[in-house]
Amino acid sequence: MKIERASFDKIFASKFWTKLRESIVPFGETPEKTEFLDKLYKGITDFTYNPKNPRDYIVINKHNGISRYVPTFSRQDYCVFFLCIKLLENEIAVNRVEGTFGGWTLGNPIRLKEEQEILELDYIPFNTINELDWIQEWQSFQNIAKKYRDLDDWQCFINLDIANFYDCVNLTILERKIRHVVPKAKQDVVTLLFHFLQNWNKKLEGYNLKTVGIPQDEIGDCSRILANFYLQDYDLIMSEICDKYGAKYIRFADDQIIYAKDILVAKNILFEASRELLKVNLNFNSSKVREFKSKEEFDIYWAFELFELLKDKTDKDLINLAVEKYFKLLDSNIRFRDNSVLKRILTVDNKLIEPKFRHRLIAMFFNPDFLAQLTLWHFKRIREFIDNDNEFFGELDSMVETVPFNSYQYNLLAFYKKERKDFDCSELEKRIEELRLK
């Protein structure tokens, strides 16, 4: 593979190097950058590079106790994956269908097109290169969902989710799609990319070439670009189907919404969408198909009003009104994105929340099922809400032995190393080793 050394070095700017250090699975000693890149460049250009087994798998509670495995790669494998996507992004980031979002990483052309469309909807997105990438981009999609709701007199809405999306991406189909849009001069980059994608998981799959699935991506969001590209033909067909029925379709990653004026029309679109997904080896998650037969029901589920009230993180009256309405919805057993709202409450100035709400909010934060889903950043925010460190640390410590998903222990370890530096982490590290995938 031919790539100029200066161009190669430029790709791994300090921002990416910093991003590598954000892995919650410690790398160990950081190598000298120039020496490391010398070795990596030689391995790639001499065709001696081979993917290593992941350092570990971060195990996340996906839903109702079902595990999601996120591999954490070696430095060289992260760099190779990132290099390939950076070199190919101008080709795989084209032809975005209006109303689709998710190809926003690495500053590619899709992101620029999305920004223009979002600006037309009077919404300016957050910068994605920071600690809150996913949360902030999801906020973007929430606002887009709300704006599109008002584009016509929709009477029903269907919320969809693709089942095990990343795990079911057919690598043969993906490679064919990429090679079709990439010029001859970059075909070696595609070969390197699929050398990585087909061989990174030998710890579990042995010497068999991997044919299905792209890895969940802990650091660089490279897989998100690939996944978004994989769905672009589907997006085009879905847009055409919805136009035929006088409906509307939007997508962010694997989350989709169909807007229609009749429930029968919406179900016909869903039927056709299922058929189109099957052509690329995918299916909808039937347990997450949600129908809404009114704008009010749709609005409540998406908690548009609550997120709007929480938009200004310094407005005490609006913040407390949002919290009050949040608890009213909970007490009424009304279905809505309650955990998303609770996480958003963590972003406001906690000193502005009235005492009558604080005790119950802290109880919600201390719920073990909620705590087990959180990151280092969330732990830091919860700590700012409470007066008693010992109470909070005690609750976190008590969960170390009971939570089987090591994403909790890894995030807690990162949190303690920053916020509880005098704490002996040996028992926590021992538990991580016990949970390691053998």
Side-chain angles (χ1 to χ4, degrees):
M1 190 180 90
K2 294 182 179 179
I3 177 172
E4 295 296 329
R5 180 57 194 269
S7 300
F8 178 84
D9 287 355
K10 188 176 180 180
I11 285 173
F12 304 108
S14 58
K15 186 174 290 186
F16 174 74
W17 209 245
T18 299
K19 199 74 175 172
L20 278 179
R21 292 198 293 269
E22 292 179 4
S23 172
I24 62 170
V25 179
F27 276 104
E29 187 175 347
T30 302
E32 198 278 320
K33 184 177 179 181
T34 301
E35 183 179 343
F36 173 84
L37 291 179
D38 283 343
K39 186 176 180 180
L40 179 63
Y41 181 79
K42 188 175 189 306
I44 292 172
T45 53
D46 289 351
F47 305 101
T48 57
Y49 160 76
N50 281 299
K52 295 181 178 179
N53 287 331
R55 293 174 294 127
D56 198 3
Y57 298 81
I58 302 172
V59 186
I60 299 168
N61 185 353
K62 182 179 178 181
H63 183 66
N64 289 338
I66 303 300
S67 301
R68 169 181 288 158
Y69 290 84
V70 178
T72 58
F73 301 123
S74 67
R75 281 190 182 86
Q76 69 170 14
D77 289 342
Y78 275 128
C79 287
V80 167
F81 196 15
F82 185 81
L83 170 73
C84 291
I85 300 303
K86 282 295 292 181
L87 292 175
L88 297 173
E89 65 181 1
N90 287 336
E91 286 74 32
I92 65 177
V94 297
N95 298 324
R96 187 187 73 83
V97 175
E98 178 187 0
T100 62
F101 303 86
W104 41 266
T105 54
L106 311 186
N108 62 41
I110 276 187
R111 184 55 177 161
L112 298 178
K113 291 182 180 180
E114 288 177 3
E115 284 178 351
Q116 180 59 40
E117 185 171 327
I118 292 169
L119 287 170
E120 290 170 359
L121 292 168
D122 300 320
Y123 179 72
I124 300 175
F126 292 89
N127 185 351
T128 65
I129 309 298
N130 59 54
E131 192 176 15
L132 302 178
D133 280 358
W134 174 257
I135 296 172
Q136 293 173 344
E137 285 298 318
W138 183 250
Q139 290 169 7
S140 286
F141 185 61
Q142 287 175 321
N143 280 271
I144 299 307
K146 183 179 179 182
K147 294 289 185 180
Y148 273 74
R149 176 208 61 185
D150 296 327
L151 291 181
D152 211 326
D153 185 25
W154 311 118
Q155 298 299 314
C156 58
F157 312 80
I158 297 183
N159 217 88
L160 306 166
D161 178 86
I162 297 174
N164 304 313
F165 180 25
Y166 281 33
D167 294 335
C168 294
V169 170
N170 184 296
L171 294 182
T172 301
I173 295 174
L174 178 61
E175 182 175 5
R176 183 174 69 243
K177 286 175 177 287
I178 293 177
R179 288 196 184 279
H180 180 70
V181 301
V182 168
K184 183 177 180 180
K186 292 187 178 181
Q187 291 295 324
D188 280 350
V189 180
V190 182
T191 301
L192 176 61
L193 172 63
F194 281 87
H195 178 61
F196 167 75
L197 291 175
Q198 293 171 341
N199 290 282
W200 67 264
N201 203 28
K202 291 191 180 301
K203 179 179 178 67
L204 299 183
E205 301 189 29
Y207 287 107
N208 299 303
L209 291 180
K210 191 172 181 62
T211 59
V212 178
I214 57 178
Q216 298 282 345
D217 196 356
E218 184 209 7
I219 290 180
D221 279 320
C222 297
S223 289
R224 195 186 312 282
I225 290 182
L226 292 177
N228 196 71
F229 175 76
Y230 190 74
L231 286 178
Q232 284 184 347
D233 291 336
Y234 165 79
D235 290 334
L236 182 60
I237 294 172
M238 278 296 294
S239 181
E240 293 171 352
I241 291 171
C242 286
D243 286 346
K244 178 179 69 175
Y245 284 103
K248 186 69 181 175
Y249 156 80
I250 66 171
R251 176 180 66 79
F252 175 78
D254 56 342
D255 285 280
Q256 304 172 43
I257 303 174
I258 295 170
Y259 301 74
K261 297 180 181 179
D262 179 87
I263 189 63
L264 182 59
V265 166
K267 288 186 175 182
N268 285 338
I269 295 171
L270 177 57
F271 177 81
E272 294 193 36
S274 299
R275 182 177 59 195
E276 294 303 325
L277 269 185
L278 186 62
K279 294 178 182 179
V280 287
N281 202 50
L282 300 173
N283 293 282
F284 288 118
N285 186 338
S286 59
S287 67
K288 291 188 176 181
V289 175
R290 295 181 174 90
E291 297 179 6
F292 308 99
K293 297 180 181 178
S294 70
K295 284 188 177 182
E296 181 183 13
E297 189 180 352
F298 180 70
D299 286 3
I300 290 174
Y301 175 76
W302 278 88
F304 289 138
E305 181 184 12
L306 300 186
F307 284 111
E308 185 64 28
L309 291 171
L310 293 166
K311 196 171 183 179
D312 186 342
K313 298 175 175 57
T314 63
D315 191 315
K316 181 177 180 178
D317 291 338
L318 294 183
I319 289 170
N320 284 284
L321 180 58
V323 175
E324 181 180 9
K325 287 177 175 288
Y326 167 73
F327 285 131
K328 283 183 178 179
L329 288 174
L330 284 180
D331 294 338
S332 301
N333 293 317
I334 294 175
R335 181 181 61 172
F336 73 107
R337 292 181 176 273
D338 54 319
N339 271 358
S340 296
V341 176
L342 190 58
K343 289 178 181 177
R344 177 68 72 89
I345 292 171
L346 279 173
T347 69
V348 306
D349 184 349
N350 71 87
K351 297 181 181 64
L352 300 178
I353 295 177
E354 295 178 3
K356 64 181 180 181
F357 297 130
R358 293 181 67 85
H359 180 74
R360 189 174 179 186
L361 275 177
I362 290 172
M364 300 287 292
F365 296 150
F366 275 32
N367 183 312
D369 290 337
F370 182 69
L371 283 174
Q373 303 173 22
L374 303 184
T375 66
L376 159 66
W377 182 86
H378 294 107
F379 291 146
K380 290 167 67 175
R381 294 295 296 175
I382 292 175
R383 188 184 184 192
E384 294 172 7
F385 261 83
I386 61 178
D387 299 321
N388 190 333
D389 274 354
N390 290 334
E391 181 183 5
F392 182 42
F393 291 151
E395 185 65 32
L396 295 175
D397 293 345
S398 70
M399 293 171 55
V400 169
E401 294 298 324
T402 59
V403 176
F405 305 97
N406 71 4
S407 61
Y408 172 75
Q409 285 82 5
Y410 270 124
N411 277 291
L412 186 60
L413 181 62
F415 173 60
Y416 278 179
K417 286 186 174 180
K418 288 181 177 290
E419 305 293 326
R420 201 180 178 188
K421 295 182 179 180
D422 59 342
F423 181 73
D424 182 358
C425 293
S426 58
E427 290 300 315
L428 183 51
E429 291 168 337
K430 180 182 176 182
R431 176 63 174 159
I432 289 174
E433 190 59 35
E434 290 174 356
L435 294 172
R436 189 179 297 274
L437 190 62
K438 307 299 183 187

